[in-house]
């Protein structure tokens, strides 16, 4: 099929920053794009060919949107899977598949999937209701501390909490959840795997993630990870095994823990472009966004090597600031060598909302890390 300057239509569910960055590449290739998002202010709205405002969880909305396109992909997991399944049965190609999304959407199903496929992950218990957790603690089946995760719809620090006492259980949502062993890890790592329907497969270099202690959001992504080569190989091998088990098409970001005794444990996956791959826009031969497009269109996959060391700093709304956004000192960071800001186009800021990111590239990763710190301390995302 000819995708370029043709009648082919690509649909994207979700119109946030990940979709916007995908559209840089569909624009480059002149591919016609349709986007569905609940917000009239969605970052994708300006860059796609046709924008529809609608609820991503509503069956009819997603189904009717999908009937207009040839291939459907998504930049957010919280979409109506039943509609995707019906579309697939009617001949629309959906990548990644509804079957994989159904598993990945639910953290309990996702953990069971790793067990069923002998993939390394932390110990966990599954609960239909949060109220059952207390019984499990009292009868000795569960010990503090552990990580509580909502089974459905948790993301970016929401739906996740470290539980150290009964007191911490108080305000948890009531529904299905898991309690995971709290891993004492050295590092959080991630590997992005790309695969097309032909089965061609490539991995990006391992990255390490430094987290904000309070917001439970990634503060820095560092590529390549500062780990020994044998550990990097082990992490890539685990990621490839996960990809093989899912038999996915598109991108799969595999987040992992490196334990104190150098074991790799899968934390969770995202079947789409991911925060841990933003530095690829400046630092790699092929960005993760272009790679996702290549993969779902069954085109040859691009070179995943890094041209240069890259670090990504998330730009999130400052605490105590809600309202029309102002980026303070942005010109100051642009004076620094190898620094590129990406502003997502969200007009309203609020505490810890993802508003953009900054990439720092340098042949010397230590220099890049120093510049990243300066960037972090200089730019402020505030409200008027």
């Amino acid at each position: 099929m000819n995708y370029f300057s043709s009648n082919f239509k690509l649909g994207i569910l979700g119109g946030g920053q990940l979709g916007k960055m995908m559209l840089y590449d569909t624009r480059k290739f002149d591919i016609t794009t349709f986007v569905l998002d609940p917000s009239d202010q969605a970052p994708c709205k300006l860059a796609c060919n046709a924008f529809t405002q609608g609820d991503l969880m509503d069956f009819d909305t997603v189904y009717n949107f999908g009937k207009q396109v040839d291939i459907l992909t998504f930049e957010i997991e919280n979409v109506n899977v039943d509609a995707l399944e019906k579309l697939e049965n009617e001949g629309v190609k959906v990548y990644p598949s509804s079957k994989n999304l159904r598993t990945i959407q639910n953290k309990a199903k996702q953990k069971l999937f790793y067990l069923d496929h002998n993939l390394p992950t932390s110990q966990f218990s599954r609960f239909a209701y949060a109220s059952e957790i207390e019984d499990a603690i009292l009868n000795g089946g569960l010990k503090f501390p552990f990580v509580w995760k909502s089974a459905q719809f948790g993301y970016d620090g929401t739906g996740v909490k470290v539980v150290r006492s009964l007191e911490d259980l108080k305000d948890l949502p009531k529904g299905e959840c898991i309690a995971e062993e709290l891993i004492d890890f050295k590092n959080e790592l991630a590997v992005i795997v790309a695969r097309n329907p032909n089965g061609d497969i490539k991995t990006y270099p391992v990255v390490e993630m430094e987290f904000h202690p309070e917001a439970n959001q990634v503060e820095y992504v560092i590529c390549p990870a500062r780990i020994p080569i044998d550990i990097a190989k082990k992490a890539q091998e685990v990621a490839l095994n996960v990809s093989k088990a899912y038999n996915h098409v598109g991108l799969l970001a595999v987040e992992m823990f490196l334990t104190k005794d150098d074991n790799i444990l899968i934390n969770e996956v995202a079947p789409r472009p991911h925060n841990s791959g933003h530095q690829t826009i400046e630092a790699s031969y092929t960005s993760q966004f272009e790679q996702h497009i290549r993969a779902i269109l069954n085109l040859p996959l691009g070179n995943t090597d890094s041209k240069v060391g890259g670090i990504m700093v998330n730009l999130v709304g400052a605490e105590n600031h809600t309202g029309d956004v102002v980026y303070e000192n942005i010109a100051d960071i642009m004076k620094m060598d190898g620094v590129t800001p990406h502003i997502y186009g969200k007009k309203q800021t609020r505490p810890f909302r993802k508003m953009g990111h900054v990439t720092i590239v340098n042949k010397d990763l230590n220099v890049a890390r120093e510049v990243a710190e300066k960037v972090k301390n200089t730019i402020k995302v505030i409200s008027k």
Side-chain angles (χ1 to χ4, degrees):
M1 181 182 259
N2 178 20
Y3 302 110
F4 310 98
S5 301
S6 71
N7 296 326
F8 169 79
K9 296 179 185 73
L10 174 66
I12 303 172
L13 295 171
Q17 64 265 18
L18 299 174
K20 184 187 179 195
M21 289 184 270
M22 250 190 261
L23 293 172
Y24 297 170
D25 292 297
T26 56
R27 285 275 177 189
K28 185 166 74 181
F29 297 142
D30 194 32
I31 292 167
T32 303
T33 49
F34 285 57
V35 172
L36 174 69
D37 192 86
S39 168
D40 189 41
Q41 302 287 308
C44 277
K45 193 175 176 185
L46 287 172
C48 61
N49 296 87
F51 180 80
T52 305
Q53 189 178 355
D55 182 355
L56 295 168
M57 293 304 292
D58 180 68
F59 180 94
D60 290 336
T61 305
V62 172
Y63 174 75
N64 292 327
F65 174 80
K67 288 305 279 180
Q68 309 171 84
V69 303
D70 302 293
I71 290 181
L72 192 56
T73 191
F74 45 85
E75 56 109 63
I76 185 168
E77 282 91 318
N78 297 350
V79 301
N80 189 300
V81 188
D82 294 334
L84 297 185
E85 194 173 44
K86 186 169 164 68
L87 287 163
E88 281 171 329
N89 292 337
E90 292 177 8
V92 177
K93 289 179 175 158
V94 178
Y95 296 130
S97 69
S98 63
K99 178 174 172 248
N100 280 341
L101 185 57
R102 206 181 282 283
T103 302
I104 290 166
Q105 258 186 2
N106 183 298
K107 296 238 164 60
K109 284 183 184 164
Q110 198 185 134
K111 291 287 278 191
L112 289 167
F113 180 87
Y114 304 138
L115 283 190
D116 291 346
H117 291 83
N118 293 321
L119 294 163
T121 192
S122 58
Q123 300 285 326
F124 73 102
S125 307
R126 181 185 189 179
F127 299 98
Y129 304 99
S131 54
E132 296 172 355
I133 293 180
E134 202 167 326
D135 300 341
I137 293 163
L138 296 173
N139 69 29
L142 186 61
K143 291 182 172 55
F144 297 120
F146 58 86
V147 180
W148 167 89
K149 287 184 181 177
S150 172
Q152 294 280 110
F153 308 134
Y155 66 95
D156 283 346
T158 63
V160 179
K161 186 178 181 179
V162 177
V163 176
R164 299 179 191 279
S165 66
L166 287 174
E167 186 67 20
D168 290 337
L169 293 172
K170 266 192 177 160
D171 301 319
L172 294 182
K174 304 282 179 267
E176 188 193 3
C177 57
I178 57 172
E180 286 183 337
E181 176 192 2
L182 182 63
I183 299 293
D184 185 19
F185 56 82
K186 281 197 237 186
N187 262 332
E188 290 210 40
L189 308 173
V191 175
I192 291 175
V193 186
R195 184 177 174 279
N196 66 17
N198 278 352
D200 303 331
I201 196 160
K202 288 195 176 184
T203 64
Y204 279 88
V206 185
V207 302
E208 77 182 86
M209 297 179 285
E210 288 186 23
F211 277 75
H212 186 287
E214 285 152 55
N216 195 24
Q217 276 182 333
V218 176
E219 217 167 10
Y220 301 108
V221 171
I222 300 167
C223 182
R226 298 163 296 184
I227 53 175
I229 286 172
D230 60 322
I231 303 235
K233 279 193 174 139
K234 199 183 331 185
Q236 284 184 314
E237 207 169 289
V238 168
L240 282 168
N241 288 339
V242 176
S243 163
K244 201 169 165 184
Y246 279 115
N247 208 19
H248 77 107
V249 168
L251 290 191
L252 190 69
V254 185
E255 294 181 46
M256 299 172 265
F257 298 121
L258 175 62
T259 65
K260 291 279 197 277
D261 51 2
D262 286 343
N263 283 323
I264 300 280
L265 296 176
I266 300 152
N267 178 19
E268 50 193 51
V269 300
R272 52 168 170 79
H274 189 253
N275 203 34
S276 64
H278 289 345
Q279 74 292 338
T280 60
I281 297 175
E282 278 80 26
S284 305
Y285 286 99
T286 311
S287 81
Q288 65 163 343
F289 300 98
E290 180 181 325
Q291 195 76 294
H292 184 71
I293 299 298
R294 284 172 175 248
I296 62 176
L297 301 186
N298 207 14
L299 294 165
L301 298 177
N303 182 347
T304 53
D305 292 348
S306 300
K307 296 184 265 194
V308 64
I311 294 186
M312 188 276 298
V313 178
N314 268 330
L315 291 184
V316 298
E319 288 183 85
N320 307 320
H321 283 274
T322 300
D324 295 345
V325 67
V326 178
Y327 296 90
E328 220 173 38
N329 307 328
I330 199 161
D332 295 338
I333 68 163
M334 290 174 85
K335 284 179 198 158
M336 301 174 193
D337 259 4
V339 170
T340 307
H342 292 254
I343 305 298
Y344 295 157
K346 299 171 183 177
K347 307 300 182 226
Q348 297 288 307
T349 184
R350 58 176 181 266
F352 300 121
R353 186 182 193 195
K354 280 189 190 168
M355 301 298 289
H357 73 264
V358 180
T359 313
I360 299 95
V361 293
N362 197 294
K363 287 196 170 71
D364 184 335
L365 203 57
N366 294 323
V367 173
R369 181 65 182 76
E370 282 166 25
V371 176
E373 195 84 40
K374 272 189 206 148
V375 166
K376 185 86 190 165
N377 294 331
T378 303
I379 193 165
K380 299 281 178 276
V381 184
I382 57 171
S383 54
K384 281 182 185 167

